[in-house]
Amino acid sequence: MPGDVIHLNVGGTRFSTSRHTLTWIPDSFFTSMLSGRISSQMDETGAIFIDRDPVIFSVILNFMRTKEVDFGSVDISALRHEAEYFGITPLVRRLTLCEDLEHASCGDVLFHGYLNPPEPPLPPPKVEKKRHSVSVVGSSGTAPSHARSPSTTSRHESQSPRSPRPVSETCSSPQVNELRPVRPASEVLPSHSADVDKIQTHHSHEEPLKVTMVRGHHNWLCVAYPHFVCCFRMKDSAGWQLRWTSPYMENVVDRVAINAKVLNPDNPNKMVAAAMGNMIQLWSVTEEGISREIGKFSLNVSVDSLFFIGSQLVALSQTGKVGVWHAMTQHWQIQDVVPVSSYDTAGSFLLLGCENGSIYYIDMQKFPLRMKDNDLLVTELYKDPSEDMVTALSVYLTPKTSISGNWIEIAYGTSSGIVRVIVQHPETVGSGPQLFQTFTVHRSPVTKVMLSERHLVSVCSEYNHVRTWSVTRFRGMISTQPGSTPLASFKIVSLEDVDPIISYSASNDIGPYGEQDDQQVFIQKVVPETNQLFIRLSSNGQRVCVIKSVDSCNISAFCVHECEGSNRMGSRPRRYLFTGHSNGAIQMWDLTTALDKMVKTEQGTVKDGGPTAKELVKLLEQCDLSSSRSPTPCVSRTPSVIHMAPPQHGATSGPWIMQTETESLGEGATGGDYMETVETDTQVTRI
């Protein structure tokens, strides 16, 4: 009967209501249950048992009684999820509208602009011929005479005009990743976070319009996609506009770089470089978008870092190869050095931190003079006292500083977790830099170091643990009184795929970003597949803001870049965060405004600005953190020595074998060697 009383047991809490209250909404969970279309389970008292949250159910039941919503302490998103489960359509519509009002497609006050994805170029005709040739071989067993291997492609065949049609499914080449070594990083060539921090997500690399890297120079933006590169330019009156799109490139683009030709101010062309495996392609692009291919160069090994120093294009490899192209001489030169583990630039100098514990420098201004000797003039600047591998490097140039002159300030980190600061005083010129200060606060390899005007920041591989110190200066130069004092300790958790694409580490680097004489920030991307970023101060970890994409598309790459101010008097450069997305779009965010707003509203109390426990759990919902079947999340006292190795291509799925890496335990760790046995079903690993 309509007036029957229905007794419910929801998650152990009893509710009693009328049949009419439960059935006035058609096609809901309750109408199906009471009509017998879905089975129900009774408890010992005869009440219908429903295994759901009783707190949220009480809000839903109250809505069905009064048609009013009293949220109380219930989260709107969780309430909408339960309302969808029970099929309460009127409540779902109200809650969806509330959520839509909180997240506008026009963004908040920090949202600065949206660049639509470009029209990708078509593959050259040769790709289609190749596919046709394969079918001929399968039918007759012989290849036609016109079928050639990819290595015989001419320069003219590699050019392809732009086409309004989308890229075909042949654009992606997932096999390219198998040909590359262990993934590199941009500024720190080893992994910027411990491999134990890696996670497993389910995504496809076959996304031809997915942004893989973003780089900026002045008012230009260079965006890399899997098989082509494009450039945007900003003008005061017209805003950002697409100026150039490269031809289709058969191999996947791993690195990009952009710079201006500073040799000829009357010819303000941009130079754009792209690295694919061991090959580098270089173009000259005018302000009108007219391009000319300068050349193609080979480093003979995979390119791990690509950047400009002045007019010189520099390519680095972890194996110890340095390639340099000079705009004036049009000369490409390769120099062999010891294996490189980190680098930094200072003016016209390139500083290399190497595995043998030495710091070397190369003066790019002398490069044309050394052509006849085919020598880049690599000079050793400093040797670590313990000969530990230099895994992070940072150079600070004061107004009185010159690498070959009076004052040098360098901070570097090692594989044993030590952070050192070396300086060269004017009275010590000729004897090399002297050790200024040593910090032994990290127990894992240091992956990042930043020495700025006011702070020293170091990051180790233990979940990106950050330690910061305040730096005292006298007349612009670092001072021993009172020296560097501890400031903050926090973590920038940034999980990675167990099998990321080659460019992931370079395009999703945590930072810190910003000029060394200005406020610097970390960009925290908690999980690989997410549409939000946490912006935090590098000095104390305080949260500046949270960026969330306006179209809910995942962020696949980002960079922080300072654009020049307008020609109007009094305008100043502004710092922006550019985010590239899986749909090919670019979104822009005003970090200058975010920092200004934070200063005005700062209460003087510094709190950890990372995601809260609630935010972190929500971000991790889409990820699989179980990379082994061990019941404990951490199987070693020193997680940094564990490396999770994914199964080889073609291997069966299952728990992965944990590999070990020889490292120093760092100061404060248990002395001596130790052994731990970890069982994962049939696989046993000794650590």
Side-chain angles (χ1 to χ4, degrees):
M1 299 294 294
D4 291 349
V5 176
I6 307 297
H7 300 286
L8 304 174
N9 181 350
V10 181
T13 303
R14 295 181 60 85
F15 296 89
S16 297
T17 186
S18 67
R19 180 185 295 269
H20 174 73
T21 299
L22 294 179
T23 57
W24 70 269
I25 299 176
D27 298 327
S28 67
F29 170 86
F30 302 103
T31 57
S32 300
M33 179 185 67
L34 296 178
S35 64
R37 292 199 299 269
I38 60 175
S39 60
S40 58
Q41 183 180 358
M42 304 292 181
D43 65 3
E44 64 278 2
T45 65
I48 301 175
F49 178 75
I50 302 175
D51 191 14
R52 307 300 291 185
D53 187 343
V55 177
I56 301 179
F57 179 78
S58 65
V59 178
I60 294 176
L61 182 59
N62 186 65
F63 170 79
M64 300 179 70
R65 289 168 172 166
T66 65
K67 298 183 181 180
E68 296 179 356
V69 184
D70 181 12
F71 295 117
S73 59
V74 177
D75 180 70
I76 294 181
S77 178
L79 181 59
R80 181 181 60 82
H81 182 270
E82 290 297 289
E84 289 177 346
Y85 174 83
F86 289 113
I88 314 301
T89 306
L91 180 58
V92 171
R93 290 173 179 170
R94 296 188 188 185
L95 298 176
T96 302
L97 177 60
C98 293
E99 290 185 323
D100 290 343
L101 292 176
E102 288 184 358
H103 180 66
S105 60
C106 295
D108 57 12
V109 67
L110 302 181
F111 180 63
H112 186 69
Y114 188 97
L115 301 178
N116 290 312
E119 296 175 353
L122 281 178
K126 181 179 179 302
V127 176
E128 299 178 1
K129 291 181 180 179
K130 178 181 177 182
R131 295 178 61 188
H132 176 70
S133 300
V134 172
S135 62
V136 173
V137 172
S139 59
S140 63
T142 58
S145 59
H146 65 270
R148 295 176 295 172
S149 63
S151 60
T152 60
T153 306
S154 67
R155 290 181 58 183
H156 297 287
E157 289 177 328
S158 64
Q159 303 292 329
S160 174
R162 293 184 56 195
S163 171
R165 293 186 295 171
V167 178
S168 66
E169 61 183 2
T170 60
C171 293
S172 299
S173 301
Q175 296 84 359
V176 174
N177 291 340
E178 302 170 14
L179 306 178
R180 295 297 304 266
V182 178
R183 64 167 194 85
S186 57
E187 292 183 318
V188 182
L189 298 182
S191 174
H192 74 267
S193 62
D195 287 320
V196 74
D197 298 349
K198 295 183 179 180
I199 64 177
Q200 182 179 9
T201 56
H202 304 284
H203 65 281
S204 173
H205 293 293
E206 300 185 6
E207 299 176 84
L209 270 180
K210 180 179 181 179
V211 177
T212 58
M213 187 171 290
V214 183
R215 291 291 182 265
H217 185 269
H218 292 169
N219 289 345
W220 282 68
L221 202 64
C222 180
V223 182
Y225 297 88
H227 294 279
F228 69 98
V229 179
C230 68
C231 288
F232 295 87
R233 182 194 175 204
M234 193 269 289
K235 298 184 68 174
D236 290 342
S237 57
W240 288 92
Q241 293 180 331
L242 178 66
R243 305 306 296 172
W244 174 74
T245 302
S246 74
Y248 176 89
M249 288 170 278
E250 185 173 355
N251 293 325
V252 175
V253 178
D254 299 328
R255 297 285 186 271
V256 291
I258 183 172
N259 195 29
K261 287 185 177 179
V262 298
L263 297 178
N264 186 4
D266 298 330
N267 184 20
N269 292 355
K270 293 290 179 180
M271 290 189 293
V272 180
M276 299 143 287
N278 63 350
M279 294 299 300
I280 301 167
Q281 197 163 352
L282 183 63
W283 297 272
S284 172
V285 182
T286 66
E287 293 187 353
E288 292 74 24
I290 302 174
S291 66
R292 176 180 63 88
E293 182 181 295
I294 297 176
K296 297 179 181 179
F297 318 102
S298 175
L299 191 62
N300 301 326
V301 293
S302 297
V303 177
D304 295 322
S305 299
L306 189 69
F307 52 93
F308 284 92
I309 298 180
S311 59
Q312 293 92 334
L313 174 65
V314 181
L316 289 182
S317 171
Q318 297 181 38
T319 60
K321 284 189 178 293
V322 182
V324 179
W325 179 86
H326 198 281
M328 179 184 296
T329 62
Q330 304 283 306
H331 181 72
W332 171 255
Q333 181 175 335
I334 300 177
Q335 178 80 24
D336 288 321
V337 296
V338 296
V340 178
S341 50
S342 60
Y343 77 93
D344 194 16
T345 60
S348 63
F349 289 84
L350 170 64
L351 287 88
L352 305 174
C354 299
E355 293 184 2
N356 63 353
S358 294
I359 299 176
Y360 299 90
Y361 75 91
I362 302 173
D363 188 355
M364 292 299 171
Q365 288 184 343
K366 297 181 179 179
F367 173 64
L369 305 178
R370 306 293 303 183
M371 282 176 48
K372 60 175 63 176
D373 299 332
N374 197 32
D375 184 9
L376 289 178
L377 197 61
V378 180
T379 306
E380 185 179 55
L381 184 66
Y382 184 77
K383 182 79 171 181
D384 181 71
S386 303
E387 297 187 0
D388 290 334
M389 180 170 63
V390 180
T391 55
L393 194 62
S394 176
V395 182
Y396 177 71
L397 299 180
T398 68
K400 299 181 180 180
T401 297
S402 173
I403 273 285
S404 58
N406 297 326
W407 196 274
I408 304 172
E409 297 178 8
I410 298 176
Y412 71 91
T414 68
S415 57
S416 61
I418 297 176
V419 178
R420 302 187 193 273
V421 179
I422 58 177
V423 298
Q424 180 167 301
H425 297 272
E427 59 270 16
T428 62
V429 174
S431 60
Q434 302 297 313
L435 183 61
F436 179 78
Q437 203 164 6
T438 300
F439 304 92
T440 56
V441 297
H442 293 293
R443 298 178 58 196
S444 302
V446 178
T447 57
K448 288 184 175 297
V449 165
M450 175 59 70
L451 179 61
S452 63
E453 182 181 11
R454 292 177 289 179
H455 302 107
L456 170 63
V457 180
S458 65
V459 185
C460 76
S461 60
E462 191 82 18
Y463 295 101
N464 285 337
H465 179 214
V466 183
R467 287 295 303 267
T468 65
W469 297 264
S470 59
V471 176
T472 304
R473 296 188 175 276
F474 178 71
R475 293 181 179 175
M477 296 176 288
I478 196 167
S479 173
T480 58
Q481 298 296 332
S484 302
T485 55
L487 185 60
S489 173
F490 54 94
K491 289 183 174 65
I492 305 289
V493 178
S494 180
L495 306 181
E496 301 176 1
D497 281 340
V498 293
D499 186 22
I501 60 176
I502 298 299
S503 60
Y504 182 88
S505 59
S507 56
N508 293 270
D509 187 57
I510 64 172
Y513 295 95
E515 298 295 331
Q516 291 174 304
D517 58 352
D518 199 357
Q519 190 77 271
Q520 295 182 320
V521 295
F522 282 115
I523 309 296
Q524 183 176 7
K525 183 180 180 182
V526 181
V527 293
E529 301 293 333
T530 181
N531 62 355
Q532 63 180 348
L533 301 173
F534 293 84
I535 317 301
R536 304 172 62 180
L537 292 180
S538 64
S539 57
N540 54 27
Q542 186 177 1
R543 181 185 297 190
V544 177
C545 61
V546 178
I547 296 300
K548 190 172 183 180
S549 62
V550 295
D551 55 3
S552 299
C553 286
N554 286 337
I555 299 172
S556 55
F558 58 83
C559 81
V560 176
H561 178 58
E562 193 172 83
C563 294
E564 298 175 347
S566 64
N567 297 327
R568 301 179 181 90
M569 183 178 299
S571 63
R572 58 176 179 139
R574 300 191 67 85
R575 197 187 314 184
Y576 295 99
L577 170 64
F578 295 90
T579 57
H581 297 260
S582 55
N583 64 349
I586 300 294
Q587 299 180 22
M588 296 171 283
W589 311 87
D590 190 347
L591 290 188
T592 300
T593 299
L595 290 169
D596 292 343
K597 288 172 64 66
M598 189 199 68
V599 171
K600 294 179 181 178
T601 59
E602 192 173 5
Q603 302 297 324
T605 57
V606 177
K607 298 180 180 180
D608 186 14
T612 62
K614 184 178 180 180
E615 291 171 329
L616 183 59
V617 169
K618 187 173 182 62
L619 287 169
L620 295 176
E621 288 178 353
Q622 58 191 337
C623 304
D624 179 15
L625 291 173
S626 57
S627 50
S628 74
R629 295 179 185 175
S630 173
T632 57
C634 177
V635 296
S636 170
R637 288 167 288 177
T638 310
S640 62
V641 304
I642 301 177
H643 282 245
M644 299 292 187
Q648 299 296 323
H649 179 68
T652 57
S653 61
W656 302 325
I657 298 177
M658 296 183 181
Q659 299 177 340
T660 61
E661 179 181 86
T662 303
E663 290 181 353
S664 169
L665 293 179
E667 186 174 344
T670 304
D673 297 331
Y674 67 95
M675 181 175 293
E676 240 179 79
T677 302
V678 180
E679 295 190 12
T680 57
D681 287 352
T682 58
Q683 299 175 345
V684 179
T685 302
R686 294 186 181 275
I687 302 175

